[in-house]
Amino acid sequence: MVQKLKDYNPNAGLGVAVREYPTSTGPADYVLFIDRDAVGIYEAKAEDYGQKITTVKEQSARYYATSDFKHIRELLNHK
């Protein structure tokens, strides 16, 4: 289920993706929640954005470095 931030209802389902979720480095396109725990951040890009993949990598690294989402950090640290 995908929800806008202003409509976010953590009880809407086991898995919820929230659009434009605020982080300490700016809004993420989507933050993925399972059973109310943040488990992933998804950055959506236009199909023709592939030539700028380093920008996406830097953006993702910024989320990781400053994430307040403990479950995301735990998942990434165990890989």
Side-chain angles (χ1 to χ4, degrees), residues 9-56:
N9 175 1
N11 298 316
L14 179 62
V16 177
V18 182
R19 290 185 195 122
E20 296 299 316
Y21 195 88
T23 72
S24 57
T25 63
D29 289 340
Y30 297 90
V31 173
L32 311 175
F33 292 89
I34 296 177
D35 198 21
R36 296 178 177 234
D37 290 324
V39 297
I41 296 174
Y42 183 83
E43 273 304 309
K45 299 296 180 216
E47 188 174 340
D48 62 347
Y49 206 81
Q51 74 277 14
K52 299 177 184 174
I53 198 69
T54 55
T55 302
V56 176

